[in-house]
Structures are given as C-alpha cells and as structure tokens.
C-alpha cells in the first residue's frame, strides 16, 4: 500500500514525526480495532480520534446503539476511508473480522463495568492486546493489557467489587461526557502506540479524578483505585447543570485544541459558546481538528465548527467570529464571557489573550501541544500566576507543529481537559489547575501535575509591572499554513 496524495496531506503532521513516518501511517491505515462501550454518544470522541489518527477500520458493539446512523454519516464526512460496522456481542468476542481483513488487528474496549463480557473474553484461547477504560462520572481508570495474565488479574479484582448497582440520579447524565471524552482520547493514543509498537504502554492502572485532578498509577493499587472510582461521585448536581446552561464561554481557535474543548462543552450543555478564528478548513487539519470535515474544506473554521456543534447540541448557542484577534478588538470580544479558553499554538497570541484577560479579570484556560507532549494550566487574575510568569521572554521562539508534527489525539486530551476546567470554574466545584501545570507525555504515558508560583518579576502581574495596556499582537502563527492549531 502506497499512501495517496490526499492521505499524505491529511496525515502530514504524523508523517513528519520519525516515530511514525510514512510506514507507520500506512500501518495505521491497515489496522483494525474492536470497540465495546455503553453508548454511541459517549464513545463518539474515541471514534473521531481513531479516525483522525488513521485507524479507519472499526467494529463497534454498543450497549445502546441509538444515534449510530447519525454518527456513521458524521464520521464518513470527516474521513471517507472509515469502515465502521455494528457487530453483536458474540461477534465482538470472536473478533473474526481481523483475520479476514489481514491487518494488524487488536481489541480496543471501553467498559462500563460489564464484567460478564470481560469474563467471556478471558475464556477465549486467543488473546489480542486490549485497552480497558472504566469511567464513572468524573473519574476513570485506564490500563493497557499486552498479556492474558495481567488481564486475568485485573478481571479478578473487578469480580470482587459490587459496582454500578446504584446510580446517583441527581447527577446530570450528559456530564458523563467529560470523563468519556478524556478516556476516549487517551485510549486512542494507546491504540496508535500499540499498532506501531512505539513508546510505553500504560501497563499499570491509571487512576484519574478529573474533578480533583488526582492522578495516580501503581500496579499494586488497582483494588484501591476501583474503590475510589465508585466512591463519593456527587460533585456535580442538576443545579450545577443549570449554571452551565446559563454561562458563556469563549474559545479562541477552532483547531486542534478548540475542537475538543467546544465538542465537550456542547455535549454537557453549556448555554453559549463563542468561537473566534480567521482561518479556513484544510485537509491537513483533519488529523486532529475533529470539528471539521472533507465536505467543509475551504469553509471558514468558525462556520464549520458551528455546523458540527449545532448537530451535537442544538440547544447550545454558537456565536462565530470569523475575524483576526488583535489588541483593538480583544477586550470588547471577551467582556461578555465568563471564561476564555485559549486554543492557539503561538506565543504572541497567548500573550495577547493572557494580557487582555488579566486586565478584564477574566479566567483563562491555557493549553499547548507539540509532537507527543501537552501542557495545561488555568489562570485566574490576581489569584496566581499568569502566562507571562511561565514564559516571560519567549515571544517568537519555538517550533510549530507544522515543523515538528503532533499526534492527533494529544491536542484532544488537552482540549477536553480545558473544557473540564471551564466546567469547574463555572460550577465552583472541584480543584482546578490554578497555580499548577499539567504535563502529558503521550509517548511514555506520563501524566503529572506540578506547582507553578507567581513570578514576582513578571512584567504584567509582578510587583513592578511595566505592561499597562494590552499590547499589539497579530493573531497569526509563525507558519501561516498551520494557523493556530
């Protein structure tokens, strides 16, 4: 199989990374996954990021397949090479399609406590690498299994637990989308690594409480993590959901970071989402920018995003700003919004957003990605560090993802976390990344949080600031062909 010109253009951000290259992308396109999960809606982020990465052969078994036809058409519009097929539980367990297709095939599972199905798989003679992610509201456990012994040990621990017997009916169902989105993007990263045999798989159980930002991973604490998973999951209520429906969130950039942030916020029912971008959709965007599609190439990104998000949640108002962001309009644009999410990929644009939010006293959520790495932080004026505290003299420096590449699902996980941070700010619940920096190394699967101190010498928020007004910055990337994402 030789990559076609359109495939090269679509996956260029992958191909230029030596860990993937053209051969690796070819292998992804020849691979297949089996997906099991609760519902079409909760698995849609996973399926989109698999398709974005080039794993285009999927066999799906849903407990509830409502909405499958709609998802199928949206996925095919996003990537018309996708082969996605509904299968029943027995076909999922037997996974005979893999041999028939003659590809690298493995099983990818997203479980919601279905121990019966897990036991049936374990009783099979053949074993395929398996990713299991169990998510409950804002918490999740993820582990990748490359041998049957580890899988049996995990299943044995689960068998001793009484899970999913009670459901907190005050917890809004659509807020399950937060953990499901984070879980899906992490699983898609693991799937790519398994297909290509690169990096380090997450062979120990990863526990991630997105509400408290507690992250732990230990092979000796699986039992402990599972107990925590189903304990005290009452952080968000219906009243909090009403706050979300009344709030307004501005996302700067409709690309790799802005796409997942907007997707997640629309899924959970945020009332108004503003999106500003001055770029048009290109084929090279589609390895990571899941709001867009082939049929909308050439359309402005904000209009493309609006079409996608209206389909996800017609009750969310989408305000599209097809314009450049600069010092002349930024203050006016952000004034009516409760939270600002930065989805840009260059320092000068981040400085502009940071400065404007500081003077307007608006919370800002910031993320960045490059290759297999991502960072995330939440900035609240006068309560901690600002962006300049971290990067005081970096304007114009650094490489862009157009030059070094980026694995598509990496901005996905960062954008979904940005959305989670916005939800916590609006509801006043949980622990945000204020005065903290989350760092993610997808290749080695290292997810860590570090304390960030306010810099007393910061020119914006330090003891003797010399920046008194929002300075002029143009909203452009150093590489014009890779505008802001």
């Amino acid at each position: 199989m030789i990559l076609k010109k359109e495939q090269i253009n679509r996956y260029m951000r992958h191909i230029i990374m030596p860990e993937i290259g053209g051969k690796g992308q070819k292998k992804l396109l020849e691979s297949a996954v089996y997906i099991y999960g609760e519902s079409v809606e909760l698995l849609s982020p996973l399926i989109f990021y698999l398709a974005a990465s080039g794993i285009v052969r999927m066999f799906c078994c849903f407990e509830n397949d409502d909405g499958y036809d709609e998802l199928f058409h949206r996925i095919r519009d996003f990537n018309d090479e996708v082969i996605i097929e509904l299968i029943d539980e027995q076909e999922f367990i037997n996974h005979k399609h893999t041999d028939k297709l003659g590809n690298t095939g493995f099983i990818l599972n997203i479980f919601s406590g279905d121990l019966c199905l897990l036991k049936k798989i374990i009783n099979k003679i053949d074993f395929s690498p398996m990713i299991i992610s169990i998510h409950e509201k804002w918490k999740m456990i993820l582990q990748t299994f490359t041998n049957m012994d580890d899988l049996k040990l995990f299943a044995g621990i689960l068998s001793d637990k009484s899970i999913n017997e009670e459901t907190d009916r005050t917890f809004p169902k659509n807020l399950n989308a937060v953990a499901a989105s984070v879980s899906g993007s992490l699983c898609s990263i693991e799937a790519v690594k398994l297909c290509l045999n690169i990096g380090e798989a997450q062979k120990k159980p990863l526990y991630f409480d997105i509400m408290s930002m507690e992250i732990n991973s230990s092979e000796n604490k699986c039992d402990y993590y599972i107990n925590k998973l189903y304990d005290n999951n009452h952080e968000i209520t219906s009243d909090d959901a009403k706050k979300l429906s009344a709030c307004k969130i501005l996302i700067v950039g409709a690309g790799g970071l802005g796409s997942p942030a907007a997707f997640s916020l629309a899924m959970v029912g945020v009332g108004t989402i503003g999106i500003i971008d001055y770029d048009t959709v290109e084929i090279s965007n589609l390895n990571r920018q899941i709001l867009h599609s082939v049929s909308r190439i050439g359309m402005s990104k904000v209009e493309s995003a609006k079409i996608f998000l209206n389909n996800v949640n017609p009750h969310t108002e989408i305000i599209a700003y097809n314009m450049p962001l600069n010092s002349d309009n930024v203050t006016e644009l952000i004034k009516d919004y409760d939270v600002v999410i930065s989805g840009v990929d260059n320092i000068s644009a981040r400085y502009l957003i940071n400065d404007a939010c500081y003077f307007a006293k608006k919370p800002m959520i910031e993320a960045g990605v490059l290759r297999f790495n991502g960072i995330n932080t939440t900035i609240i004026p006068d309560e901690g560090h600002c962006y300049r505290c971290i990067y005081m003299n970096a304007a114009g420096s650094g490489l862009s993802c157009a030059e070094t590449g980026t694995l598509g699902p990496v901005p996905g996980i960062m954008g979904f976390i940005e959305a989670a941070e916005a939800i916590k700010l609006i509801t006043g619940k949980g622990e945000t990344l204020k005065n903290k920096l989350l760092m993610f190394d997808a290749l080695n699967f290292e997810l860590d949080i570090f304390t960030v101190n306010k810099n007393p010498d910061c020119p914006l928020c330090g003891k003797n600031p010399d920046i008194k007004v929002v300075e002029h910055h143009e909203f452009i990337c150093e590489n014009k062909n890779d505008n802001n994402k």
Side-chain angles (χ1 to χ4, degrees), residues 411-429:
I413 177 65
M414 293 296 106
F416 287 134
I417 290 176
E418 284 190 292
E421 288 291 285
I423 292 168
K424 288 185 281 185
L425 286 173
I426 294 300
T427 61
K429 300 293 181 68

Side-chain angles (χ1 to χ4, degrees), residues 37-53:
E38 181 179 346
S39 69
V40 172
E41 179 185 30
L42 294 181
L43 285 177
S44 60
L46 165 69
I47 293 171
F48 265 103
Y49 277 107
L50 289 172
S53 299

Side-chain angles (χ1 to χ4, degrees), residues 347 351 387-395 455-460:
I347 299 293
Y351 277 175
Y387 186 77
R388 288 182 182 270
C389 289
I390 308 175
Y391 303 101
M392 285 181 58
N393 300 300
N455 191 331
D457 298 322
C458 176
L460 179 69

Side-chain angles (χ1 to χ4, degrees), residues 406-478:
T406 187
L407 179 64
V410 174
I413 177 65
M414 293 296 106
F416 287 134
I417 290 176
E418 284 190 292
E421 288 291 285
I423 292 168
K424 288 185 281 185
L425 286 173
I426 294 300
T427 61
K429 300 293 181 68
E431 296 290 331
T432 69
L433 289 170
K434 182 183 74 170
N435 296 324
K436 298 174 184 176
L437 186 67
L438 180 146
M439 302 188 72
F440 179 47
D441 177 351
L443 192 61
N444 298 301
F445 213 105
E446 296 176 353
L447 191 61
D448 300 294
I449 296 177
F450 302 92
T451 298
V452 178
N453 296 318
K454 184 174 181 177
N455 191 331
D457 298 322
C458 176
L460 179 69
C461 70
K463 293 180 179 179
N464 299 296
D466 53 28
I467 298 176
K468 306 297 183 181
V469 296
V470 179
E471 296 179 332
H472 177 73
H473 293 281
E474 293 183 358
F475 184 51
I476 57 175
C477 183
E478 294 167 9

